[in-house]
Amino acid sequence: MFIISKLYEKIINDIEEGIEKGVYTVGKKIPSVRELSKMYNCSINTVIKAYDTLKNNHVIYANPKSGYYIVENINKINISTSDTINFYSGNTLIGDMNIPDLKHCLNWAGDLYKNNSLDSNHTGVDSLKDASLRYLSNFQVFTKKENLFITMGTVQTLNLLIDMNFPNNKTKILLEQPSYGHFLDNLKMLNIDIIGIERNEDGINLNKLEKIFKEEPIKFFYTIPRHHNPLGTTLKKSQRKAIAKLAAKYDVYIVEDDYFSDIYTDEKYDPIYSYSDFTHVIYLKSFSKIMPWMRVGVSVMPNNLIDSFKNHIKKLDIRYYISPSLLSQATLEIYIRSNILKKHSDVITNDLKKKHEILSNELLSLKNIGINCFSDISGFYSYIFLPDHINEDILIKELRNNKVIVGPGKRCFIDNSFYKKGIRLSISSVSTKDIINGLNIIKKCLINS
């Protein structure tokens, strides 16, 4: 066994050394198993074990009935190092994921669905919908399969909802201020009639909300109750319950964007959907924060919107395909059924908690110099309000020159009547060291402005 082990390792080392020296080049066939067996005077199984290891390490690949070939070195051509601190991106790094789990789920999904193709019902793979129903119940979202749609994420669903006519025959869309910048950009580009309502550290003024619901033709109210983008705050239970009640009273639909429900900082949290009459709340969830290498989300539609939503998916599908790939859906299903998704959620939750402790200390140093900041327990998003004398655009440019990227606050506001000058931070894709270094740079720039 000792000799076989040494031979197995030597074959691997010799092949890798041959690649480095240019003996074996990309696309070039390497010696067969039988040839190496004779060359090293070893069994065929020893060579196969060495080649399997090289395949798993993406050094070689097998071409059936032809042999083994060298794989192009993707790492060298695609990956570049950077010392930039990116507080702009809201996506968790794939490096934080458990790569063996990902490979396992991809392989399993490929095996299970190798004889299938994506059907044309546009609502999602049935088995994934079954798994999603059980998964959503963990977040107090109970629904039926016919109400569930598998989509490419929140943005695609929001664009469909903009275009749909709702049973309340109303036309205006109400947004929290500030709100999700990308959605706001789309609304402005499409010239949609939008109204804003302020959201601050205390949440939303319910008296103002009721007044708007009563006096304005609000088609739907788009809200991000927890892990708010860009403030990072979470609405209190009393406010979530009140919003559901007001929606039913004034026939206004609520579009609840619970994009990061997997990151649970409050196990007693229940979404607006759970307090609703199940007629006026549309529940949206994305899996892209947990699995950032693919775009998959789920949408829960009330009964009176199912047919309209289906028709709009079909209409949009004529122009461009919006359903997630079969491999993406299959992989998500394996993640859910095997509880690996829960495992990854736990890892990210714990990681964010540690980062938030660091962030809180660093933001406290900003508050000590008179800078107001919003940051809730998740720490996923935070908002730094800027004093009147500081120009937001100039500060962002100066930070970029110092290799710190932040999100512009103005993108999150409808207009100047709501605008509160500031910058948005996300700690999802930065290290604890980056948080400390980045906040120190931000502090210096603020002091020198």
Side-chain angles (χ1 to χ4, degrees):
M1 292 299 294
F2 175 78
I3 295 175
I4 291 176
S5 175
K6 287 295 183 181
L7 281 173
Y8 148 74
E9 293 175 0
K10 179 170 174 54
I11 292 170
I12 292 173
N13 291 334
D14 287 351
I15 293 294
E16 291 179 336
E17 186 176 320
I19 294 172
E20 291 179 4
K21 292 181 177 180
V23 176
Y24 306 122
T25 56
V26 174
K28 182 177 179 179
K29 185 177 179 180
I30 61 177
S32 69
V33 171
R34 191 172 298 278
E35 288 172 334
L36 283 189
S37 175
K38 292 179 180 179
M39 185 184 305
Y40 288 90
N41 192 26
C42 66
S43 70
I44 287 177
N45 286 339
T46 299
V47 180
I48 290 175
K49 183 178 180 182
Y51 273 11
D52 282 345
T53 300
L54 290 167
K55 279 170 54 182
N56 290 334
N57 291 335
H58 310 295
V59 176
I60 65 174
Y61 66 95
N63 193 339
K65 298 182 180 181
S66 177
Y68 292 89
Y69 296 83
I70 304 300
V71 174
E72 185 171 4
N73 193 335
I74 297 175
N75 290 329
K76 288 184 178 179
I77 60 176
N78 284 341
I79 298 177
S80 60
T81 58
S82 172
D83 56 354
T84 298
I85 300 172
N86 189 351
F87 285 123
Y88 183 84
S89 174
N91 292 326
T92 49
L93 293 176
I94 191 170
D96 295 335
M97 302 294 103
N98 191 314
I99 298 303
D101 286 345
L102 170 60
K103 292 178 179 178
H104 168 71
C105 290
L106 283 170
N107 289 334
W108 191 357
D111 288 341
L112 284 178
Y113 288 86
K114 61 186 177 182
N115 296 320
N116 296 67
S117 61
L118 196 62
D119 60 32
S120 58
N121 68 13
H122 307 288
T123 66
V125 174
D126 272 352
S127 54
L128 172 57
K129 292 174 75 173
D130 287 332
S132 298
L133 288 174
R134 289 191 290 274
Y135 188 72
L136 288 175
S137 68
N138 296 324
F139 310 105
Q140 300 303 306
V141 176
F142 299 93
T143 188
K144 297 179 180 178
K145 188 188 290 189
E146 55 265 31
N147 298 90
L148 191 67
F149 293 80
I150 307 298
T151 68
M152 288 187 71
T154 300
V155 174
Q156 286 75 12
T157 303
L158 288 171
N159 286 335
L160 285 169
L161 296 175
I162 291 172
D163 192 48
M164 285 170 50
N165 292 322
F166 277 35
N168 60 13
N169 293 315
K170 299 178 183 180
T171 57
K172 294 184 179 182
I173 294 175
L174 178 64
L175 295 180
E176 298 165 320
Q177 285 296 278
S179 187
Y180 177 31
H182 189 64
F183 182 44
L184 186 52
D185 288 343
N186 287 348
L187 291 171
K188 289 180 178 180
M189 182 177 64
L190 296 170
N191 294 316
I192 303 298
D193 197 351
I194 51 181
I195 297 176
I197 182 169
E198 182 184 7
R199 177 158 172 179
N200 55 35
E201 200 165 15
D202 296 321
I204 294 171
N205 185 313
L206 294 174
N207 290 328
K208 288 184 179 179
L209 184 67
E210 181 170 16
K211 187 174 188 296
I212 293 173
F213 279 8
K214 183 177 181 180
E215 298 178 357
E216 298 284 352
I218 303 299
K219 176 181 176 180
F220 67 76
F221 171 36
Y222 172 70
T223 177
I224 311 173
R226 59 175 159 181
H227 308 305
H228 184 266
N229 182 359
L231 300 179
T233 57
T234 296
L235 293 179
K236 298 173 183 176
K237 178 180 179 179
S238 58
Q239 292 190 332
R240 300 195 303 273
K241 293 179 73 172
I243 290 171
K245 186 176 181 180
L246 289 172
K249 180 178 180 180
Y250 293 100
D251 194 18
V252 173
Y253 286 81
I254 306 297
V255 176
E256 181 176 16
D257 188 348
D258 203 12
Y259 71 99
F260 216 1
S261 58
D262 307 87
I263 302 304
Y264 51 92
T265 51
D266 179 3
E267 294 183 356
K268 295 182 180 180
Y269 179 95
D270 292 331
I272 295 173
Y273 179 89
S274 67
Y275 301 117
S276 73
D277 60 359
F278 304 109
T279 299
H280 287 92
V281 177
I282 301 163
Y283 181 84
L284 308 182
K285 173 177 169 36
S286 172
F287 291 97
S288 299
K289 300 298 183 186
I290 302 296
M291 298 182 292
W293 51 83
M294 63 184 185
R295 298 291 176 187
V296 184
V298 296
S299 305
V300 179
M301 294 289 151
N303 291 335
N304 57 4
L305 287 180
I306 291 176
D307 290 340
S308 179
F309 193 69
K310 279 184 180 178
N311 290 334
H312 274 73
I313 290 177
K314 292 178 183 178
K315 184 173 72 172
L316 192 62
D317 193 56
I318 295 173
R319 287 176 282 174
Y320 47 86
Y321 206 64
I322 66 165
S323 297
S325 69
L326 178 59
L327 183 59
S328 293
Q329 294 190 57
T331 304
L332 174 59
E333 181 182 342
I334 301 301
Y335 263 81
I336 293 174
R337 292 188 184 279
S338 63
N339 282 327
I340 291 177
L341 186 62
K342 175 64 165 59
K343 172 186 172 183
H344 283 184
S345 299
D346 290 344
V347 170
I348 295 175
T349 298
N350 291 330
D351 180 58
L352 283 176
K353 283 181 179 178
K354 292 176 183 176
K355 288 180 179 179
H356 181 258
E357 290 179 7
I358 303 296
L359 177 69
S360 296
N361 290 331
E362 297 303 315
L363 290 180
L364 183 60
S365 69
L366 291 183
K367 291 179 181 178
N368 290 337
I369 62 170
I371 304 296
N372 189 23
C373 313
F374 276 8
S375 179
D376 207 354
I377 52 177
S378 74
F380 190 77
Y381 286 119
S382 300
Y383 197 82
I384 298 176
F385 294 91
L386 301 178
D388 291 338
H389 70 276
I390 293 179
N391 183 292
E392 178 184 318
D393 296 327
I394 294 176
L395 175 64
I396 290 175
K397 185 177 180 180
E398 184 180 356
L399 289 172
R400 184 178 287 272
N401 290 338
N402 283 275
K403 297 186 177 181
V404 174
I405 303 174
V406 298
K410 64 173 60 177
R411 188 188 180 204
C412 302
F413 293 90
I414 295 174
D415 53 36
N416 288 333
S417 66
F418 289 101
Y419 176 51
K420 291 185 178 179
K421 192 188 306 180
I423 53 176
R424 187 199 71 173
L425 306 183
S426 170
I427 58 172
S428 60
S429 59
V430 293
S431 65
T432 52
K433 181 180 178 182
D434 284 341
I435 294 172
I436 295 171
N437 292 338
L439 265 295
N440 282 335
I441 293 172
I442 291 173
K443 183 177 179 180
K444 288 179 182 177
C445 290
L446 287 172
I447 291 173
N448 295 329
S449 296

